[in-house]
Amino acid sequence: SLHDALPILVATALLTLLDVWHISSRVAEGWAARSFADLARHADDQVAALLGRVRGTAELGAANPDGSAPIEGDGLGHPALSVMRQLVELTPDLYSLYYAHADGSFLQVLRVPGRGTLNLGVAIPADCHLVVRTIAAAPGTGLRSQRLSFFGQAGVRLGQSPPSEASYDPRSRPWYRQALAADAVALTAP
């Protein structure tokens, strides 16, 4: 009778639905895993491409023999500065490029982010595009002074900070020790 067969029909329908749900879940999990793997590979490729461009730019800077010239005064006459500025301006993924010497002197070109702030301890002009940070060591004294020079679009000089005692010492930074140990370009987190 239909009354006796109804529980069997309901049970069969439930088992069939459970089987369909189980198969669908496995298919969905497989699709999700493949999609995630594809997205992860794509993200890895993008990061590798980004770091490759930045590394290539840093290697160009490191290969520049002018980088070993003494860093003196405000650093604006340093022979590597022009190339450094061009590399930072032409490489949007590069925030900063710098040379650090064993005497604690330091020449850095920084891109000013869109919001126009950097943690350098001084006010930055509103239309500043690049900052040249120079730490010069006075020979034989161990004293070091810092000066910041501010540049707008097209290299227009907007101003300069007065010399101040340099509290920043690149020789104490992990990237400096990493580069010395590797004797090569070192990429670090921003």
Side-chain angles (χ1 to χ4, degrees):
S1 90
L2 183 60
H3 186 267
D4 293 333
L6 190 58
I8 295 172
L9 288 172
V10 169
T12 303
L14 286 174
L15 287 174
T16 303
L17 285 173
L18 183 61
D19 193 38
V20 167
W21 175 81
H22 183 66
I23 292 170
S24 298
S25 294
R26 284 193 318 227
V27 168
E29 287 170 358
W31 180 83
R34 285 189 303 280
S35 295
F36 181 76
D38 289 345
L39 286 172
R41 265 192 305 281
H42 179 71
D44 283 346
D45 291 346
Q46 293 296 316
V47 169
L50 171 66
L51 291 178
R53 286 191 303 268
V54 171
R55 177 175 287 284
T57 301
E59 287 172 350
L60 281 173
N64 183 354
D66 291 336
S68 62
I71 299 169
E72 301 170 329
D74 64 7
L76 298 182
H78 194 276
L81 184 60
S82 176
V83 171
M84 293 172 70
R85 286 177 57 177
Q86 288 175 21
L87 288 172
V88 171
E89 286 175 348
L90 296 174
T91 311
D93 301 322
L94 189 64
Y95 162 71
S96 170
L97 188 63
Y98 40 82
Y99 290 101
H101 293 196
D103 66 355
S105 59
F106 183 70
L107 180 64
Q108 179 181 31
V109 176
L110 299 113
R111 175 188 314 282
V112 177
R115 61 187 179 281
T117 61
L118 293 171
N119 188 18
L120 296 174
V122 297
I124 296 174
D127 49 351
C128 186
H129 177 65
L130 291 176
V131 175
V132 174
R133 179 183 188 185
T134 305
I135 296 176
T141 67
L143 300 175
R144 297 173 318 112
S145 63
Q146 174 175 281
R147 181 169 280 177
L148 303 171
S149 301
F150 308 104
F151 294 88
Q153 296 292 338
V156 174
R157 187 170 165 188
L158 303 173
Q160 190 173 63
S161 70
S164 62
E165 183 179 343
S167 60
Y168 180 81
D169 190 340
R171 299 169 294 185
S172 68
R173 305 300 297 162
W175 59 261
Y176 183 85
R177 291 190 299 270
Q178 179 184 347
L180 278 180
D183 194 28
V185 169
L187 293 179
T188 60

